Amino acid sequence: MSDIIPFPRSKEKLVREIKQSFNNNDLEQMYQLFEDFEEQFELDEQMALLKCSMLYNMQHFLELREEAIILLKQGTTKYDDLMVYYVKSLNGLGQYFEVVEVINQIIDEVNDHRTRMELFPIKEYAMGQIDKHNEQATYMLQNFESISLRDQINTVLTLIDYSQFNYRNTVVNIIDNVTLAPNVLTIMLEYLRFAEYDQNIRIYKYDYDMNVIPSKLPGLEHTEFKLNIIPNVINQLEVDAAQMIEEALHLMNNHAILFYPLDIERIAHIDVWIEAYVNYFKAMIGLEPLDESNTAIQFITEIDKLNN
């Protein structure tokens, strides 16, 4: 008996089923029908807006943002509608600073008065959320020395997420006057780098003092540690210690955060660091003894003691 090949549903039938699912508020079914539809056909503007409405009602804000961006780049006569969905997606993702910025940029471009009436309340809501965030951030920064390590990290990360860079002088003051955990200091320097702070700051990490200008620092992902040491260590571990790769990546990525922005070649040459980490991980599983004469090994083991 030969396999039965199902005949694909017609475009018109799929459109009817999608609209029926929407009317019945069966959004999960509608989502699947859209997947079936897009495997065979291109969305016209009407169907594209219906998909955006579905994604918004399902609170799939990330997917809605990406869909709106794609459609806007393609060019559309439904500019106002798509911009509203784009702004709503940002609002749903909690990107309130971007909501206000985008609305300020487009408010004079939209064609329909009703669109402006829809955008203004979203902007007011976003501004209210930013005000709430700023109140919380101000409290946390004022009490930075007494809050938990987790709260310290979350406070600075949230400032970055919200693009709130008007606290740069406060952050510098904290760096100058508060004893900070190495990972918190790293995140604060990243904040100042994003804030384009261009003044010299003196910092201390692991008994090393440094003078840095945050705006001129490489990002954490562009350090020698991330670009050179980690890939080379992983390549060597893949040969005879593949079982250690996941743990090695976790530990080295953590070390990259802890060490930043220390010039690690002040401690040992890059090749010595690579050799040290390979030996360190192999020693964990008994493949070779730990070479305690290696300068980088001494530093690694000391850091691990401090952070355990």
Side-chain angles (χ1 to χ4, degrees), residues 23-237:
N23 292 332
N24 294 336
N25 201 34
D26 190 350
L27 298 177
E28 295 294 337
Q29 175 67 15
M30 187 179 179
Y31 189 93
Q32 183 57 56
L33 288 168
F34 260 115
E35 288 194 340
D36 296 343
F37 185 93
E38 291 185 85
E39 285 178 0
Q40 304 176 58
F41 311 107
E42 293 288 330
L43 295 177
D44 60 22
E45 288 189 341
Q46 182 187 32
M47 292 300 290
L49 287 176
L50 189 59
K51 182 180 180 182
C52 287
S53 177
M54 174 196 73
L55 292 173
Y56 176 70
N57 287 322
M58 296 181 79
Q59 299 185 14
H60 289 186
F61 298 120
L62 183 59
E63 192 174 349
L64 174 60
R65 185 187 68 179
E66 299 309 308
E67 189 75 20
I69 289 172
I70 291 169
L71 293 168
L72 286 164
K73 285 182 177 178
Q74 289 175 350
T76 176
T77 63
K78 304 294 184 181
Y79 176 82
D80 285 20
D81 297 305
L82 285 172
M83 284 308 305
V84 169
Y85 279 122
Y86 177 61
V87 169
K88 284 181 175 180
S89 72
L90 295 176
N91 198 53
L93 291 168
Q95 296 175 341
Y96 304 117
F97 183 85
E98 287 83 356
V99 169
V100 174
E101 189 173 40
V102 169
I103 292 177
N104 286 340
Q105 288 174 355
I106 69 168
I107 198 66
D108 293 328
E109 298 176 7
V110 295
N111 301 311
D112 195 328
H113 174 67
R114 289 174 298 177
T115 305
R116 295 188 184 91
M117 295 299 292
E118 194 165 0
L119 289 174
F120 277 125
I122 299 173
K123 177 183 174 181
E124 293 295 326
Y125 175 82
M127 291 175 68
Q129 295 303 114
I130 291 172
D131 287 342
K132 287 180 183 178
H133 159 72
N134 283 334
E135 288 177 12
Q136 178 70 5
T138 300
Y139 173 82
M140 290 294 194
L141 292 171
Q142 287 173 338
N143 298 277
F144 204 79
E145 195 168 9
S146 61
I147 63 178
S148 68
L149 178 64
R150 175 177 291 182
D151 283 342
Q152 288 180 346
I153 292 170
N154 287 338
T155 296
V156 183
L157 287 177
T158 304
L159 289 175
I160 295 172
D161 288 342
Y162 277 60
S163 301
Q164 293 293 292
F165 298 122
N166 51 317
Y167 295 98
R168 54 176 68 84
N169 291 328
T170 300
V171 169
V172 171
N173 183 61
I174 291 172
I175 291 173
D176 287 341
N177 294 284
V178 176
T179 301
L180 299 168
N183 54 343
V184 175
L185 179 54
T186 293
I187 296 167
M188 286 190 144
L189 290 172
E190 279 282 83
Y191 170 85
L192 291 172
R193 185 177 70 85
F194 286 124
E196 299 181 347
Y197 187 81
D198 60 1
Q199 303 299 308
N200 187 71
I201 304 174
R202 190 174 186 183
I203 62 171
Y204 299 88
K205 267 197 177 184
Y206 304 118
D207 297 326
Y208 289 88
D209 65 288
M210 295 160 271
N211 288 298
V212 300
I213 298 175
S215 63
K216 295 184 178 179
L217 287 172
L220 182 58
E221 295 301 318
H222 297 91
T223 58
E224 191 71 27
F225 201 101
K226 282 275 195 174
L227 296 176
N228 197 349
I229 293 176
I230 292 179
N232 277 288
V233 172
I234 295 302
N235 285 341
Q236 292 192 40
L237 291 179

Side-chain angles (χ1 to χ4, degrees), residues 182 206 225 244 247-248 250-256 258-259 273 276-277 280-281 284 290 296-308:
Y206 304 118
F225 201 101
M244 284 300 297
E247 184 173 350
H250 176 76
L251 187 138
M252 286 190 292
N253 281 319
N254 187 45
H255 282 186
L258 295 174
F259 297 169
W273 279 102
Y277 273 109
Y280 187 72
F281 294 124
M284 281 186 179
L290 187 66
I297 287 280
Q298 295 168 12
F299 190 81
I300 293 167
T301 53
E302 187 63 31
I303 296 306
D304 280 351
K305 286 177 186 177
L306 292 172
N307 289 280
N308 287 330

